[in-house]
C-alpha cells in the first residue's frame, strides 16, 4: 500500500457517549474530519437500539407511504368517477353498490394525504448523498475543535453515512449487531470477519480460488479466538469509516460500497494484508483484485455520471444548430466514435491519461495532425476512443468541443482496383469532413496511403494528397500507424513532418491486468464463464511470453476470449476459468507442452540433476554445474530482463555437450525439438551479421532474429562459438546482458525466454592433456579461463556467462554406459516400429564399448560401431524377413546372431 | 416502547412537522427543482444556439439562396422552439405554484365543506 494511504486521517472524535449529549456538544456527529471548511461527519448512532429502531422505522415508513398513497389515489379515483357519472349519465349510478357511492375521504383530504406522502418521500430522498470529491481537495485541517466546527455553515457539513450504499450500511450494521449479540466489542476484527461473509466479498474470494468459509474460519482463529484487546481498536474503527469514504472519493465512486470498507480495513490494519499474504495472495495482487471489483461497481457508476454529462449533447450529425452538412460517405465508411461513446458502446480506456493528455496538448498548441505510433495491438485506437469519451463529456480544449470524432480505416479508402478511385474517395472524405465543419478524422493504419501513386511513376503519392488537403483546409486529424511502418514509410514524408508524433508504448503487466479486468465482464457475459484472478494474470504473463507477434494488451485480450470459449466448450457454462486453462490454450496455439508452462518451475529445477543423468553419462561435475548455474540464474531476481540462463560448454568432441543441451531442452521446454541450433562456423566473416539479424530494411531476413521471434520459448544452441566473427560476438554480448536485440528493421526481439548454450572446442587439447596428467576439473577450468579462452573471447564476454562448464573426456566404463543407452534406444524403436524384441548380451556390449572407445573423439566412434555392428545386422535380418512379430533377436559377441 | 418510538410517535411527529417543512425546506427544494429542470430543458431545446446562429446558413449552404432560406428556416425554428419551451416552462411554473397553493386550497375546501355542511343543521 502507498504510504499516503496508510497514514491515519486526523479525526475529531466526540467524547460524549449518549446521543443527546452528542447532539448538543458535537452537532450530532460521533466523529468527523475537516478539509478546507468542509466537515465530513459520521452522524449515525451505532448502538443496538438505534440500528434496530432505524430498521423498524424504514420498513414501517415504506409500508405507511405505500398505504397512504394508495388510499389517496383510490379516493381521488372514486370521487372522480362518481362525479363523471352524476354529470353525464346519472341513470347508471343505480347499478353501483351503495357502499361505493359513499364518500369516505373527500377530494381535498385525499390531496392533502398525497402531498404529505410526497413530502415524506422528498425528505427521504434528500438524505441520500453522494461521495464528495471535496474531501480530497486540500490537506486535512487538523487544528479544528468541536467549537470551531460548530461555526461552520450547515451546507458544509456532509454526513458520511448518507453516502453509503445500502448494502454497505447493511453489512456494517449487521456486523455491529452481531458483535453486540455475542457480547464482544464492535471492533475492526468483528467488522472484517463479517465482511468476509458478505456475498460481495465471498465472490471476491472465489475469484482468488479461496474457499470463503475456510478464509472466515482461519481469520476467526487468528484474530478472534483468543483474548483480544478490542478497546485498543476503537479508534481504528473511525479510521476505517473515514478511509472508506476517502477511498471512494479517490476512485471517483459515487457511493461507499462493501469493497471500500474492505479496502479501508486493509489500509488501517496491516495485519489483514499479512493474513492474505499467508493465504498466498500478495499485497500487489490483493490491490489489483480490489481494483477489479471496483471496476465492477465503477463501470455502472461511471456510466451513470458519464451519461449525465452527455445528456445535453446533441446526437445530430449536423450539430445542435444544424449548421453542419450531412456526411453520407463518412457515415458509410467511417464509425462515429463520439456517438458510440455517447451511447456507451465503446470499451472503457483504462489508464493512458498521459497519452490522451499529450494528444490534447498537441491540438491545443495548434498542431493540426497527430500521429500515434506503436506496435500492432498496443492500444493506439483505445487512446483515440478515450479521446472520444473525453469529447463527449466536454472535458477537452475549445478546438475539440462540440465536434464529432470519426474513425476512418484506411483500408476502406484504398479498396477496389482503381488507384484513381482511391484519390477521389480520399478527397471526398476530406471535403465532407471540412464542409460538415464539426468533424475530426481518425485515420487508422495511415501507412496504407504511403507509396500509393496515382498514375504511377513520379506522380503524387496519396499521403502527399492527404497532407496537402489537411494543410489547406485546417482540418484536424489523428492517424495511427505501426512503429515499423513509421520508420519505413511515414518518416521524412510531408505528412510525417506535419504531424505531431506520439509514441504509444506497451503497457506494463500490472496495467495490462487492470485493462483485462475492465474487459472481463463483457467476455464473461458473452460466454457464461467466470475468470479467476489467476487466469487473468496468466493471460497477461503467457501472452507476453508466447504471443509476441502482437503487443500487450491486444494479445492478452484475444487470449482471454479464446480461453473463455475453450472453457465453455469443454466444461459448459457457469464454470470458473483457472490459470491452467490458459496454459492449455497456449499449448494448442503454440505446441509448447502444457507441463512446461503450468508445472512449477521449482520442481523442474530441483530435480534437474537426476533428470539429466538419465541421459547424460558421467560428467557429474558438468551436470552439477549446469543445474546449479540454472538455479542460480533463476533465483537471481533479474526480473526477466535476461535470458533464462547462458552457458559456455567447453570440452573435446563427443563427450556430451550437445546431449546436455538436448536434455535441457527436453526438461525445460518440453521437447528435444524445442532447440534452435546454429553452427557458428558458418558465420566467420564480418558480413555474416546481416544473415544473423537481417539485411538492413528487409523484413524477415535475419536467421537468428526470425527463429527467436517465431519461437521465443526455446533453447538456443550455438555450436563452435569460437569460430564466429569477432564483431558478431558483440551482438551476443548485448543479448546475454539485456535479453533483447533489435533486428535490421527495428523490431525488438526478445531472448528472455531462451536458454543460450555456446559450445566450443577451444582448449580441447589442453583439457585432454590435463586430464591425462590427472588434474582436477576445477584446475582445468581455471587454466582454460586464464589462458586458452583469452585467445578466442574477450573477458567481458566470458564474464557474461552464467556458467562456463568443462566437459572431461570419457573413460571406458562411461563409454559402456553410453553403449547401453544407445542400444536401449534401438531396442525401443525396434519394438515400437516392428514389434520385434532385441537382446544384446552383456559381453557383446562390453566388446562394443572396447571397440568404440576413443579418448580423442569421446562417444562419437561408439555411434559408428553400433551402426556397423548392430544396426546393419538388424537391417539384414529385417529385410530378409527372418523374424516374426514378438520374436527376439539376440546379438552376442563377434556379431553372432540368433532368433528366439 | 422502542417500536412505538420509531413508528407511531415518529409518524405523529411527522404530521406536525410536514406542513412546516413544506413551506420552508420544501420551498427551497421546489425552487431548486424549478431552476434546474428549466435550465436543462432550455439547454436541450437549444434556443440559444439557434439564436446565435441565426445568420449562419444551415447545412453549409453559403450561397445567397441558402442564406435566405436558412434565415427564414431558423426564424421558424426559433419561434417554434420558443413556443415549445414556453409551454413546458408554464407547466413547470404551474407545478411550482401548485406546491404553495395546493395545500392551502385543499384546506380551504375542507373548511368550506365543513362550513356548508354545518349551516343547514342550524
Amino acid at each position: 500500500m502507498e504510504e499516503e494511504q496508510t497514514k491515519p486521517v486526523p479525526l475529531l472524535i466526540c467524547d460524549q457517549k449518549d446521543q443527546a449529549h452528542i447532539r448538543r456538544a458535537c452537532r450530532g456527529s460521533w466523529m468527523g474530519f475537516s478539509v478546507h471548511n468542509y466537515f465530513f461527519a459520521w452522524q449515525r448512532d451505532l448502538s443496538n437500539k438505534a440500528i434496530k429502531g432505524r430498521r423498524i422505522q424504514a420498513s414501517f415508513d415504506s409500508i405507511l407511504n405505500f398505504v397512504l398513497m394508495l388510499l389517496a389515489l383510490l379516493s381521488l379515483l372514486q370521487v372522480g368517477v362518481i362525479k363523471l357519472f352524476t354529470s353525464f349519465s346519472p341513470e347508471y349510478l343505480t347499478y353501483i353498490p351503495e357502499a361505493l357511492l359513499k364518500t369516505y375521504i373527500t377530494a381535498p383530504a385525499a390531496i392533502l394525504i398525497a402531498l404529505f406522502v410526497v413530502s415524506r418521500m422528498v425528505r427521504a430522498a434528500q438524505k441520500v448523498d453522494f461521495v464528495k470529491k471535496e474531501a480530497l481537495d486540500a490537506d486535512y485541517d487538523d487544528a479544528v475543535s468541536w467549537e470551531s466546527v460548530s461555526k461552520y455553515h450547515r451546507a458544509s457539513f456532509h454526513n458520511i453515512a448518507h453516502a453509503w450504499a445500502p448494502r454497505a450500511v447493511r453489512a456494517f450494521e449487521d456486523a455491529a449487531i452481531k458483535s453486540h449479540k455475542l457480547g464482544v466489542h464492535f471492533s475492526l476484527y468483528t467488522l472484517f470477519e463479517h465482511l468476509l461473509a458478505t456475498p460481495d466479498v465471498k465472490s471476491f474470494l472465489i475469484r482468488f480460488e479461496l474457499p470463503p468459509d475456510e478464509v472466515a474460519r482461519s481469520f476467526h482463529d487468528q484474530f478472534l479466538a483468543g483474548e483480544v484487546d478490542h478497546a485498543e481498536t476503537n479508534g481504528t474503527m473511525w479510521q476505517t469509516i473515514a478511509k472508506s469514504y476517502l477511498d471512494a472519493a479517490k476512485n471517483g465512486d459515487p457511493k461507499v460500497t462493501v469493497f471500500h470498507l474492505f479496502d479501508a480495513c486493509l489500509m488501517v490494519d496491516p495485519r489483514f494484508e499479512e493474513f492474505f499474504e499467508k493465504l498466498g495472495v500478495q499485497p500487489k495482487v490483493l490491490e489489483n483484485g480490489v481494483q477489479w471489483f471496483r471496476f465492477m461497481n465503477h463501470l455502472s457508476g461511471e456510466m451513470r455520471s458519464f451519461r449525465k454529462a452527455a445528456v445535453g449533447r446533441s446526437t445530430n450529425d449536423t450539430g445542435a444548430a444544424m449548421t453542419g452538412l450531412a456526411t453520407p460517405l463518412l457515415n458509410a465508411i467511417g464509425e462515429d466514435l463520439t456517438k458510440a461513446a455517447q451511447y456507451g458502446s465503446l470499451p472503457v480506456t483504462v489508464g493512458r491519461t498521459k497519452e490522451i493528455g499529450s494528444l490534447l496538448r498537441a491540438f491545443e498548441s495548434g498542431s493540426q495532425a497527430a500521429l500515434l505510433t506503436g506496435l500492432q495491438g498496443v492500444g493506439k485506437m483505445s487512446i483515440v476512443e478515450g479521446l472520444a469519451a473525453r469529447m463527449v463529456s466536454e472535458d477537452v480544449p475549445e478546438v475539440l468541443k462540440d465536434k464529432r470524432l470519426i474513425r476512418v480505416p484506411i483500408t476502406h479508402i484504398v479498396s477496389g482496383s482503381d488507384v484513381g478511385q482511391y484519390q477521389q474517395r480520399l478527397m471526398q472524405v476530406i471535403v465532407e469532413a471540412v464542409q460538415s465543419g464539426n468533424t475530426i478524422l481518425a485515420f487508422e493504419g495511415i501507412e496504407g496511403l504511403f507509396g500509393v501513386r496515382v498514375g504511377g511513376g513520379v506522380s503524387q503519392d496519396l499521403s502527399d494528397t492527404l497532407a496537402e488537403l489537411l494543410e489547406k483546409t485546417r482540418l484536424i486529424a489523428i492517424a495511427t500507424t505501426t512503429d515499423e511502418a513509421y520508420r519505413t514509410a511515414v518518416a521524412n514524408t510531408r505528412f510525417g513532418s506535419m504531424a505531431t508524433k506520439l509514441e504509444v508504448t506497451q503497457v506494463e503487466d500490472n496495467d495490462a491486468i487492470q485493462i483485462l479486468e475492465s474487459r472481463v465482464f463483457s467476455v464473461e457475459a458473452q460466454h457464461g464463464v467466470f475468470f479467476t484472478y489467476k487466469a487473468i494474470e496468466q493471460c497477461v504473463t503467457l501472452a507476453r511470453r508466447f504471443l509476441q507477434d502482437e503487443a500487450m494488451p491486444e494479445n492478452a485480450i484475444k487470449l482471454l476470449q479464446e480461453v473463455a470459449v475453450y472453457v465453455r466448450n469443454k466444461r459448459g457454462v457457469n464454470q470458473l476459468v483457472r490459470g491452467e486453462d490458459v496454459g492449455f490454450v497456449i499449448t494448442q496455439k503454440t505446441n509448447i507442452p502444457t507441463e512446461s508452462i503450468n508445472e512449477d518451475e521449482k520442481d523442474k529445477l530441483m530435480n534437474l540433476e537426476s533428470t539429466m543423468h538419465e541421459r547424460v553419462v558421467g560428467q557429474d561435475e558438468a551436470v552439477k554445474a549446469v543445474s546449479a548455474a540454472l538455479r542460480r540464474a533463476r533465483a537471481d531476481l533479474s526480473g526477466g530482463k535476461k535470458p533464462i540462463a547462458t552457458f559456455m560448454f567447453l570440452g573435446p568432441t563427443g563427450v556430451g555437450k550437445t546431449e546436455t543441451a538436448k536434455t535441457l531442452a527436453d526438461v525445460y521446454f518440453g521437447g528435444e525439438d524445442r532447440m534452435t541450433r546454429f553452427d557458428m562456423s558458418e558465420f566467420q566473416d564480418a558480413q555474416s551479421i546481416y544473415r544473423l539479424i537481417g539485411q538492413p530494411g528487409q523484413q524477415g531476413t535475419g536467421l537468428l532474429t526470425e527463429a527467436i521471434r517465431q519461437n521465443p520459448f526455446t533453447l538456443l544452441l550455438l555450436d563452435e562459438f569460437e569460430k564466429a566473427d569477432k564483431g558478431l560476438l558483440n551482438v551476443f554480448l548485448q543479448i546475454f546482458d539485456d535479453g533483447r536485440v533489435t533486428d535490421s528493421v527495428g523490431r525488438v526481439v526478445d531472448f528472455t525466454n531462451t536458454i543460450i548454450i555456446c559450445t566450443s572446442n577451444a582448449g580441447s587439447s589442453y583439457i585432454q592433456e590435463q586430464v591425462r596428467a590427472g588434474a582436477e576439473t576445477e584446475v582445468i577450468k581455471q587454466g582454460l579461463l586464464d589462458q586458452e579462452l583469452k585467445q578466442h573471447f574477450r573477458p567481458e564476454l566470458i564474464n557474461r556467462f552464467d556458467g562456463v562448464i568443462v566437459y572431461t573426456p570419457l573413460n571406458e566404463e562411461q563409454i559402456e554406459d553410453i553403449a547401453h543407452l544407445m542400444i536401449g534406444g534401438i531396442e525401443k524403436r525396434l519394438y515400437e516400429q516392428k514389434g520385434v524384441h532385441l537382446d544384446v548380451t552383456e559381453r557383446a556390449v562390453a566388446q562394443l564399448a572396447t571397440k568404440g572407445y576413443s579418448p580423442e573423439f569421446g562417444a562419437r566412434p561408439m555411434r559408428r560401431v553400433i551402426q556397423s555392428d548392430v544396426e546393419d545386422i538388424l537391417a539384414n535380418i529385417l529385410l530378409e524377413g527372418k523374424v516374426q512379430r514378438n520374436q527376439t533377436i539376440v546379438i552376442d559377441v563377434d556379431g553372432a546372431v540368433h532368433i528366439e | 416502547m422502542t417500536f412505538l418510538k420509531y413508528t407511531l410517535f415518529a409518524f405523529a411527529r411527522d404530521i406536525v412537522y410536514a406542513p412546516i417543512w413544506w413551506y420552508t425546506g420544501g420551498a427551497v427544494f421546489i425552487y431548486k427543482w424549478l431552476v434546474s429542470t428549466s435550465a436543462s430543458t432550455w439547454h436541450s431545446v437549444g434556443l440559444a444556439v439557434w439564436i446565435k446562429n441565426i445568420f449562419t446558413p444551415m447545412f453549409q449552404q453559403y450561397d445567397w439562396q441558402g442564406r435566405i432560406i436558412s434565415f427564414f428556416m431558423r426564424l421558424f425554428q426559433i419561434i417554434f422552439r420558443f413556443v415549445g419551451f414556453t409551454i413546458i416552462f408554464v407547466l413547470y411554473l404551474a407545478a411550482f405554484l401548485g406546491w404553495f397553493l395546493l395545500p392551502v386550497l385543499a384546506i380551504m375546501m375542507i373548511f368550506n365543506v365543513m362550513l356548508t355542511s354545518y349551516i343547514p343543521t342550524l
Side-chain angles (χ1 to χ4, degrees):
Chain A
M1 294 256 162
E2 294 161 39
E3 201 187 325
E4 190 199 334
Q5 286 184 332
T6 47
K7 218 168 61 183
V9 184
L11 296 178
L12 193 59
I13 299 172
C14 193
D15 50 5
Q16 304 292 327
K17 285 285 164 273
D18 68 301
Q19 208 180 350
H21 281 97
I22 284 175
R23 184 164 296 148
R24 229 171 296 131
C26 312
R27 281 184 78 167
S29 314
W30 266 256
M31 69 95 189
F33 58 97
S34 173
V35 178
H36 193 69
N37 286 335
Y38 284 104
F39 193 71
F40 297 90
W42 178 263
Q43 301 178 326
R44 190 183 282 254
D45 191 352
L46 287 174
S47 67
N48 231 7
K49 217 168 128 188
I51 294 173
K52 278 186 183 149
R54 274 199 301 273
R55 288 187 177 179
I56 291 168
Q57 193 172 14
S59 11
F60 177 75
D61 279 356
S62 45
I63 294 170
L64 187 71
N65 285 353
F66 178 76
V67 170
L68 285 180
M69 203 46 152
L70 197 70
L71 207 65
L73 291 179
L74 285 180
S75 305
L76 282 175
L77 191 72
Q78 187 209 18
V79 171
V81 169
I82 292 172
K83 251 233 154 88
L84 274 178
F85 274 119
T86 33
S87 28
F88 292 108
S89 44
E91 63 275 15
Y92 287 115
L93 278 175
T94 47
Y95 297 109
I96 298 173
E98 194 67 30
L100 282 181
L101 283 175
K102 216 171 141 199
T103 311
Y104 300 96
I105 299 170
T106 57
I111 289 172
L112 276 185
I113 293 173
L115 292 181
F116 175 64
V117 177
V118 167
S119 100
R120 281 166 69 89
M121 278 155 66
V122 170
R123 274 177 287 151
Q126 279 183 330
K127 273 196 188 151
V128 175
D129 198 3
F130 294 100
V131 174
K132 293 275 179 293
K133 282 240 167 23
E134 287 85 350
L136 296 171
D137 277 356
D139 285 339
Y140 306 116
D141 223 341
D142 45 9
V144 289
S145 64
W146 288 113
E147 286 79 43
S148 62
V149 165
S150 65
K151 293 191 188 85
Y152 280 21
H153 187 257
R154 224 173 65 109
S156 55
F157 255 73
H158 292 296
N159 188 352
I160 293 178
H162 286 165
W164 279 36
R167 276 223 297 274
V169 174
R170 185 96 208 167
F172 193 77
E173 293 186 340
D174 278 348
I177 289 178
K178 206 159 100 187
S179 359
H180 295 152
K181 203 183 267 172
L182 292 172
V184 295
H185 192 88
F186 179 37
S187 70
L188 206 54
Y189 302 121
T190 44
L191 170 66
F192 202 72
E193 191 192 21
H194 185 76
L195 286 183
L196 288 176
T198 56
D200 288 295
V201 178
K202 267 188 182 168
S203 69
F204 173 82
L205 294 174
I206 288 170
R207 301 281 188 161
F208 282 98
E209 292 169 77
L210 298 171
D213 296 339
E214 266 174 47
V215 175
R217 206 175 310 127
S218 69
F219 182 85
H220 186 89
D221 292 345
Q222 190 179 335
F223 291 99
L224 290 157
E227 273 300 304
V228 191
D229 186 10
H230 288 296
E232 177 239 355
T233 60
N234 196 13
T236 54
M237 179 62 86
W238 295 132
Q239 279 293 337
T240 311
I241 290 173
K243 290 262 181 193
S244 62
Y245 188 84
L246 291 168
D247 192 33
K250 196 174 139 225
N251 290 292
D253 296 329
K255 285 278 183 185
V256 177
T257 66
V258 172
F259 285 104
H260 298 112
L261 270 176
F262 183 80
D263 208 14
C265 287
L266 294 175
M267 283 184 226
V268 170
D269 198 332
R271 272 177 295 180
F272 294 158
E273 232 175 49
E274 284 162 25
F275 169 72
F276 275 105
E277 211 170 338
K278 255 185 241 164
L279 294 174
V281 183
Q282 301 301 317
K284 190 84 209 159
V285 171
L286 196 62
E287 219 171 290
N288 269 345
V290 174
Q291 178 64 34
W292 183 8
F293 275 76
R294 213 176 273 140
F295 273 130
M296 244 186 242
N297 290 323
H298 203 63
L299 286 181
S300 52
E302 193 185 49
M303 278 327 286
R304 213 172 34 229
S305 58
F306 182 62
R307 286 256 166 77
K308 215 159 120 195
V311 130
R313 218 188 122 86
S314 162
T315 49
N316 200 330
D317 284 352
T318 52
M322 299 189 190
T323 46
L325 188 73
T327 52
L329 181 68
L330 267 180
N331 291 1
I333 68 170
E335 183 197 0
D336 191 335
L337 291 178
T338 33
K339 200 181 269 181
Q342 204 158 349
Y343 291 129
S345 57
L346 283 187
V348 192
T349 306
V350 178
R352 297 292 193 193
T353 41
K354 210 179 82 211
E355 284 86 349
I356 294 176
S358 34
L359 198 59
L360 293 179
R361 257 196 315 283
F363 291 132
E364 214 174 356
S365 60
S367 179
Q368 231 190 302
L371 182 61
L372 300 175
T373 68
L375 296 169
Q376 180 72 39
V378 82
K380 299 181 288 290
M381 255 305 141
S382 147
I383 291 174
V384 177
E385 286 166 356
L387 178 69
R390 288 275 288 267
M391 284 170 73
V392 168
S393 55
E394 308 265 272
D395 183 16
V396 284
E398 205 54 47
V399 281
L400 299 181
K401 271 197 183 140
D402 202 24
K403 296 267 163 73
R404 297 161 73 202
L405 179 60
I406 298 184
R407 183 176 81 109
V408 182
I410 287 295
T411 44
H412 290 189
I413 288 184
V414 292
S415 57
S417 56
D418 183 9
V419 182
Q421 252 180 21
Y422 303 169
Q423 193 185 29
Q424 205 182 346
R425 216 175 283 144
L426 179 68
M427 287 175 85
Q428 210 175 331
V429 161
I430 302 247
V431 166
E432 267 191 13
V434 171
Q435 287 190 338
S436 77
N438 62 347
T439 305
I440 292 165
L441 295 176
F443 292 106
E444 191 179 6
I446 191 77
E447 67 273 10
L449 285 185
F450 290 81
V452 180
R453 285 172 186 278
V454 185
V458 289
S459 57
Q460 200 177 27
D461 194 287
L462 266 191
S463 73
D464 291 336
T465 315
L466 175 66
E468 195 181 309
L469 284 171
L470 287 182
E471 269 168 19
K472 214 185 285 174
T473 57
R474 306 293 303 155
L475 185 77
I476 292 180
I478 303 169
T480 68
T481 186
T482 58
D483 280 337
E484 206 179 308
Y486 179 79
R487 265 188 299 271
T488 52
V490 185
N492 300 323
T493 60
R494 195 163 162 192
F495 182 80
S497 53
M498 80 172 280
T500 310
K501 187 189 167 212
L502 295 169
E503 272 172 49
V504 183
T505 48
Q506 284 208 51
V507 291
E508 294 293 314
D509 275 1
N510 213 43
D511 292 338
I513 289 175
Q514 294 196 353
I515 290 172
L516 254 56
E517 282 176 351
S518 76
R519 306 231 175 169
V520 88
F521 311 111
S522 60
V523 178
E524 284 180 347
Q526 200 180 345
H527 300 292
V529 291
F530 298 95
F531 280 83
T532 60
Y533 181 82
K534 188 87 191 145
I536 292 183
E537 198 183 50
Q538 279 291 82
C539 274
V540 171
T541 336
L542 297 184
R544 191 182 289 284
R545 276 174 79 180
F546 302 115
L547 308 175
Q548 297 188 344
D549 275 349
E550 266 183 315
M552 209 45 104
E554 183 70 27
N555 49 4
I557 292 171
K558 282 189 184 158
L559 183 60
L560 188 83
Q561 274 160 345
E562 275 178 60
V563 176
V565 174
Y566 168 82
V567 169
R568 191 200 51 199
N569 289 346
K570 199 172 155 215
R571 299 205 288 267
V573 291
N574 292 332
Q575 296 294 322
L576 273 184
V577 180
R578 295 172 201 281
E580 303 90 81
D581 297 318
V582 185
F584 286 122
V585 173
I586 285 283
T587 304
Q588 286 181 355
K589 283 170 75 86
T590 60
N591 288 326
I592 297 168
T594 325
E595 310 84 61
S596 53
I597 299 168
N598 284 341
E599 192 196 336
D600 211 344
E601 208 184 5
K602 218 161 43 191
D603 296 338
K604 257 192 262 183
L605 288 172
M606 291 327 285
N607 305 323
L608 203 55
E609 274 106 332
S610 55
T611 353
M612 276 169 71
H613 265 311
E614 282 168 20
R615 295 183 49 177
V616 180
V617 174
Q619 308 296 6
D620 287 352
E621 285 169 48
V623 167
K624 213 182 277 173
V626 168
S627 311
L630 198 56
R631 277 196 288 264
R632 212 166 42 232
R634 291 316 272 164
D636 170 34
L637 303 167
S638 59
K641 295 272 157 38
K642 279 167 77 172
I644 298 170
T646 44
F647 294 114
M648 165 75 93
F649 287 177
L650 295 169
T653 175
V655 291
K657 298 193 294 284
T658 311
E659 196 61 29
T660 314
K662 279 185 187 168
T663 316
L664 263 183
D666 192 23
V667 173
Y668 210 88
F669 299 112
E672 267 181 40
D673 52 336
R674 303 212 70 87
M675 187 162 84
T676 312
R677 195 166 174 173
F678 283 92
D679 198 337
M680 297 311 285
S681 58
E682 293 169 17
F683 299 90
Q684 294 195 12
D685 59 349
Q687 295 301 311
S688 51
I689 189 162
Y690 299 122
R691 283 176 40 225
L692 217 52
I693 65 166
Q695 304 286 342
Q698 286 182 33
Q699 199 179 321
T701 49
L703 293 175
L704 176 68
T705 46
E706 282 309 300
I708 301 300
R709 248 172 59 77
Q710 277 157 21
N711 212 347
F713 194 65
T714 188
L715 187 139
L716 178 61
L717 182 64
L718 305 168
D719 273 332
E720 307 200 58
F721 196 56
E722 82 281 2
K723 293 196 178 131
D725 180 64
K726 294 283 170 290
L728 260 180
L729 296 183
N730 289 334
V731 174
F732 285 104
L733 207 65
Q734 192 206 334
I735 294 175
F736 294 169
D737 222 21
D738 300 336
R740 47 172 41 214
V741 73
T742 311
D743 71 1
S744 57
V745 289
R747 281 179 307 191
V748 175
V749 181
D750 182 21
F751 282 77
T752 54
N753 290 306
T754 58
I755 293 178
I756 303 177
I757 294 175
C758 307
T759 69
S760 170
N761 296 334
S764 296
S765 46
Y766 175 81
I767 296 173
Q768 276 164 341
E769 272 167 35
Q770 292 292 313
V771 168
R772 235 173 280 141
E776 291 279 312
T777 321
E778 212 33 59
V779 178
I780 302 174
K781 185 175 157 188
Q782 206 51 47
L784 280 170
L785 288 175
D786 288 343
Q787 300 160 24
E788 299 287 326
L789 284 183
K790 279 192 182 159
Q791 297 166 18
H792 300 282
F793 307 112
R794 300 220 305 266
E796 61 264 38
L797 184 69
I798 297 173
N799 282 336
R800 293 290 196 287
F801 287 107
D802 292 311
V804 175
I805 316 288
V806 175
Y807 282 74
T808 48
L810 299 166
N811 56 32
E812 243 169 299
E813 219 173 286
Q814 289 163 338
I815 291 285
E816 201 175 319
D817 286 342
I818 293 172
H820 271 295
L821 274 179
M822 285 178 174
I823 290 167
I826 296 172
E827 277 175 3
K828 200 170 151 220
R829 259 176 289 144
L830 192 66
Y831 185 71
E832 277 170 4
Q833 287 166 15
K834 309 282 175 195
V836 177
H837 298 281
L838 173 70
D839 183 13
V840 182
T841 59
E842 279 300 319
R843 285 192 306 153
V845 174
Q847 194 188 32
L848 287 170
T850 330
K851 213 170 159 187
Y853 177 66
S854 148
E856 276 107 82
F857 298 111
R860 288 268 153 76
M862 189 68 228
R863 186 164 296 284
R864 271 193 296 277
V865 169
I866 288 196
Q867 259 169 19
S868 61
D869 289 13
V870 179
E871 289 183 10
D872 287 357
I873 293 172
L874 290 177
N876 287 338
I877 294 172
L878 288 171
L879 284 175
E880 285 163 15
K882 283 186 194 159
V883 67
Q884 306 288 318
R885 269 187 167 272
N886 282 326
Q887 283 187 319
T888 307
I889 304 173
V890 182
I891 300 181
D892 209 344
V893 282
D894 298 329
V897 180
H898 67 273
I899 293 162
E900 287 175 356
Chain B
M1 196 59 193
T2 319
F3 181 79
L4 285 181
K5 182 182 160 196
Y6 285 101
T7 53
L8 289 182
F9 293 168
F11 179 52
R13 223 186 91 227
D14 208 31
I15 291 178
V16 180
Y17 179 62
I20 303 169
W21 177 83
W22 193 266
Y23 286 100
T24 52
V28 174
F29 161 76
I30 196 74
Y31 173 70
K32 281 185 181 163
W33 171 83
L34 178 70
V35 171
S36 67
T37 350
S38 309
S40 75
T41 310
W42 174 259
H43 188 74
S44 64
V45 168
L47 209 53
V49 190
W50 281 89
I51 293 171
K52 201 177 87 186
N53 285 303
I54 187 153
F55 296 116
T56 319
M58 288 172 80
F59 309 122
Q60 302 275 313
Q61 294 292 321
Y62 278 95
D63 48 3
W64 63 268
Q65 296 97 328
R67 281 180 187 277
I68 290 170
I69 296 169
S70 288
F71 175 76
F72 286 107
M73 200 57 216
R74 282 190 192 280
L75 203 63
F76 174 74
Q77 279 273 357
I78 289 167
I79 294 165
F80 178 75
R81 280 167 190 252
F82 181 75
V83 170
F85 175 75
T86 314
I87 292 169
I88 297 169
F89 182 69
V90 165
L91 289 177
Y92 291 155
L93 210 60
F96 177 72
L97 293 176
W99 182 273
F100 294 97
L101 297 181
L102 216 51
V104 180
L105 284 178
I107 288 170
M108 271 167 64
M109 276 163 79
I110 290 172
F111 272 115
N112 209 5
V113 170
M114 277 165 73
L115 236 54
T116 45
S117 56
Y118 183 65
I119 290 163
T121 54
L122 257 176

